[in-house]
Amino acid sequence: MLQTGIIFSGLTLAIAFISYIVFPYDQTNDTCWQDTISGEGVIKCKPRCKSGWFGLAGMHSCHAMLRCTDWSDVKIDEEDIIGHGLVKKVYKGRWKDFDIVANKLSDDLYQSDFDHGWRMLTGFQPSPLVVQAVGRCNNTFLSEYHQRQSARNIHSVLQDFFKDAATSSEREVATRFNLCINYVEIIHFLHNSPLGVRVMCDTNDLQKTLDQYLITDDLHLVVNDLDALPEVIRSNGTLVKCGRREVFGEFAAPEQTWPYENETFDEERMPPYDEKTDIWKIPDVCNYFLQDVKDSRGIRLRLLTVHQSCKELHPQFRPTASEVLQKYRQIMDSYITWL
């Protein structure tokens, strides 16, 4: 799947749907991007590696996934915690001269969730839409470090990026809408993944949903937290339930909420559902990325129809992720033409 990108040249806005730039390098390809943290014009590259191998920014060749025998080169600063949840605690670490992330099991009660997350992570490799796996030893696994961290930070990231940029507000709108496209690309990937139709279950509210994604140096998204990705299997009628607790709020899809009024919640009686719960949440996530920035009205008007269809009460009437992605790309094309 191609990942959308935005190329900026001087004061001129030019937007194209492209894959990462590819260069030949010693029997592998380099993935290169413009680093928006280090400054305009700074290009970073890393090897593009096959499953079971990894390449970090600045490396010149791929390295086999790290195992316990490689752990002498791994340094984990347990005072530098950058995230935590029920399943794992997340620390910043180093492998040789490279920043990495160490994900440690928080409690033996969640061993199955932790192992599930690792299976999903390695099973999705390699993909530009998924954080890169680096290795595992016992109940710690390593992944690629992204300095900007959670997608919930996107507003402060963009405010900082655009405050000194000699640019138009249309460019900021395009950047924000590009994040919407990235998000739907990831949902499409999960619904059509090599490991089957997967549902993002750790998404009962907006902030929790945003925490499942990381912001890359070039202002794209990668999915990071894969601990709760149950599978829908249509061939035998297998549907999913996201967790054992009652779900509340308008962010969750209607079919995720307890349907029997005036009756006590019972997990056994809760009806299961499918991947269309992810579609219901797309408008809320995209609207968060767009916010109320200047000149976003044009994009918002074009999104009304597709967002209304995502909010259909009956899941079967909602579009697929593929259909939403196609519409989003059409809207971006028309936005560029309109500019």
Side-chain angles (χ1 to χ4, degrees):
M1 182 182 299
L2 294 182
Q3 186 166 358
T4 56
I6 297 181
I7 300 177
F8 302 123
S9 176
L11 303 180
T12 304
L13 171 68
I15 303 174
F17 294 105
I18 58 173
S19 65
Y20 283 121
I21 306 167
V22 178
F23 300 98
Y25 191 94
D26 288 346
Q27 300 182 340
T28 186
N29 290 324
D30 277 2
T31 297
C32 296
W33 63 94
Q34 179 173 302
D35 181 11
T36 59
I37 295 178
S38 300
E40 190 169 351
V42 176
I43 302 297
K44 286 188 175 181
C45 296
K46 64 183 178 182
R48 180 178 295 180
C49 306
K50 63 184 180 180
S51 182
W53 298 69
F54 70 92
L56 305 175
M59 290 175 61
H60 298 297
S61 60
C62 297
H63 193 288
M65 205 83 73
L66 302 182
R67 298 178 294 178
C68 291
T69 52
D70 304 301
W71 232 244
S72 60
D73 291 324
V74 175
K75 308 299 179 186
I76 300 171
D77 184 357
E78 296 201 3
E79 293 185 358
D80 194 356
I81 187 165
I82 56 178
H84 62 86
L86 286 175
V87 176
K88 58 185 183 288
K89 294 181 180 179
V90 184
Y91 305 90
K92 187 176 178 182
R94 298 276 291 178
W95 170 70
K96 296 186 175 180
D97 294 326
F98 300 94
D99 288 332
I100 55 170
V101 173
N103 304 266
K104 288 193 170 188
L105 177 66
S106 61
D107 192 299
D108 290 343
L109 291 172
Y110 305 108
Q111 183 75 60
S112 62
D113 299 281
F114 186 82
D115 291 339
H116 170 83
W118 175 247
R119 283 197 308 274
M120 294 296 102
L121 179 59
T122 53
F124 292 154
Q125 303 290 310
S127 170
L129 301 174
V130 180
V131 72
Q132 192 173 192
V134 172
R136 179 174 178 174
C137 179
N138 300 322
N139 285 328
T140 299
F141 72 80
L142 308 175
S143 55
E144 186 174 10
Y145 176 70
H146 291 281
Q147 184 174 334
R148 288 189 160 123
Q149 300 185 32
S150 167
R152 75 157 69 191
N153 300 327
I154 194 61
H155 296 318
S156 60
V157 167
L158 292 181
Q159 184 179 28
D160 183 63
F161 177 72
F162 284 108
K163 70 178 181 181
D164 295 324
T167 185
S168 64
S169 57
E170 289 89 352
R171 174 173 157 182
E172 181 177 355
V173 173
T175 303
R176 288 177 175 275
F177 187 51
N178 196 56
L179 291 164
C180 295
I181 295 173
N182 286 167
Y183 175 73
V184 179
E185 284 180 321
I186 292 170
I187 297 300
H188 176 266
F189 173 82
L190 295 176
H191 290 183
N192 300 272
S193 87
L195 301 180
V197 179
R198 296 290 170 169
V199 181
M200 281 292 286
C201 265
D202 229 351
T203 55
N204 290 337
D205 61 67
L206 178 59
Q207 295 304 316
K208 182 66 173 174
T209 299
L210 294 168
D211 278 341
Q212 311 308 302
Y213 302 86
L214 299 176
I215 307 167
T216 66
D217 288 356
D218 61 341
L219 302 180
H220 286 83
L221 300 177
V222 289
V223 64
N224 176 58
D225 197 334
L226 305 170
D227 298 338
L229 284 180
E231 183 180 9
V232 171
I233 308 175
R234 301 214 180 278
S235 60
N236 63 12
T238 299
L239 301 176
V240 306
K241 298 180 187 180
C242 289
R244 297 181 176 180
R245 298 180 180 179
E246 186 173 1
V247 176
F248 300 94
E250 295 182 358
F251 182 79
E255 63 270 25
Q256 291 184 277
T257 60
W258 179 243
Y260 309 118
E261 192 174 356
N262 299 323
E263 295 187 38
T264 303
F265 176 77
D266 181 351
E267 179 197 350
E268 297 297 324
R269 294 179 58 211
M270 178 67 199
Y273 35 83
D274 64 14
E275 74 277 10
K276 289 296 185 73
T277 57
D278 291 333
I279 305 300
W280 172 273
K281 298 162 187 174
I282 288 174
D284 300 274
V285 175
C286 184
N287 287 333
Y288 179 84
F289 290 145
L290 287 173
Q291 214 178 34
D292 247 343
V293 298
K294 184 182 177 183
D295 294 325
S296 66
R297 187 169 180 269
I299 284 282
R300 289 179 181 278
L301 289 174
R302 289 167 171 79
L303 287 169
L304 278 178
T305 301
V306 64
H307 280 181
Q308 286 173 348
S309 66
C310 291
K311 291 293 187 180
E312 287 283 355
L313 292 177
H314 297 286
Q316 64 267 34
F317 297 136
R318 295 174 206 152
T320 64
S322 177
E323 290 168 336
V324 177
L325 181 57
Q326 181 181 20
K327 185 62 178 177
Y328 269 24
R329 286 174 170 165
Q330 290 172 352
I331 290 170
M332 179 65 100
D333 286 342
S334 68
Y335 182 70
I336 296 169
T337 302
W338 178 68
L339 288 177

